[in-house]
Amino acid sequence: QVQLVQSGGGLAHSGGSLTLSCVVSGSASDYHAIAWFRQAPGKEREGISCISTDDDSTYHPDSVKGRFAISRDKSKNTVYLQMNNLKPEDTAIYYCATAEWRLSNAGTYYCHPKRSWGQGTQVTVSS
């Protein structure tokens, strides 16, 4: 069984930065990626970042590309999400999750969540 424990987040001003951490433990045989998702009130869940556990390749959608960056420290079994130039529309609950790569109709790869999730952490960006 895989467990994910999140830390970080909180309150930031517009243009500010925050870092989220996700410590992953348990069997790594069931997944090949770790992803970050977010969900704002009244909105659908959105995949915002993904990193391969095989080769560290990453994916970021256009909504956060250039502002958010995912990375991982294998020695600490930790995945990070560095969020820069935050905007009020980034306000949401953020979750890390085990994930698998999928190919979109547009021919690009993205991450789809699997069964294990972190507990979620609130990120609030004030204008």
Side-chain angles (χ1 to χ4, degrees):
Q1 185 175 353
V2 180
Q3 291 186 327
L4 299 93
V5 179
Q6 298 177 220
S7 61
L11 178 65
H13 294 294
S14 183
S17 299
L18 288 171
T19 303
L20 304 182
S21 300
C22 177
V23 179
V24 186
S25 61
S27 174
S29 62
D30 186 49
Y31 61 93
H32 293 278
I34 298 293
W36 287 96
F37 298 86
R38 68 184 180 186
Q39 188 160 23
K43 294 187 177 181
E44 293 187 354
R45 184 182 65 205
E46 177 187 11
I48 57 169
S49 202
C50 188
I51 186 165
S52 168
T53 54
D54 295 331
D55 61 9
D56 287 338
S57 55
T58 62
Y59 161 79
H60 299 87
D62 289 342
S63 58
V64 303
K65 191 174 293 183
R67 300 190 299 122
F68 291 12
I70 190 171
S71 63
R72 70 179 184 132
D73 185 333
K74 297 177 188 178
S75 68
K76 296 181 180 179
N77 294 322
T78 301
V79 175
Y80 302 97
L81 182 67
Q82 177 66 42
M83 305 183 290
N84 299 322
N85 191 20
L86 284 162
K87 303 176 181 180
E89 53 262 42
D90 294 319
T91 295
I93 299 176
Y94 286 67
Y95 301 89
C96 60
T98 55
E100 60 183 8
W101 293 95
R102 292 190 178 180
L103 187 63
S104 72
N105 293 334
T108 58
Y109 284 95
Y110 69 98
C111 277
H112 184 81
K114 299 198 74 175
R115 64 181 69 115
S116 299
W117 291 83
Q119 78 274 23
T121 186
Q122 177 70 46
V123 170
T124 302
V125 184
S126 62
S127 58

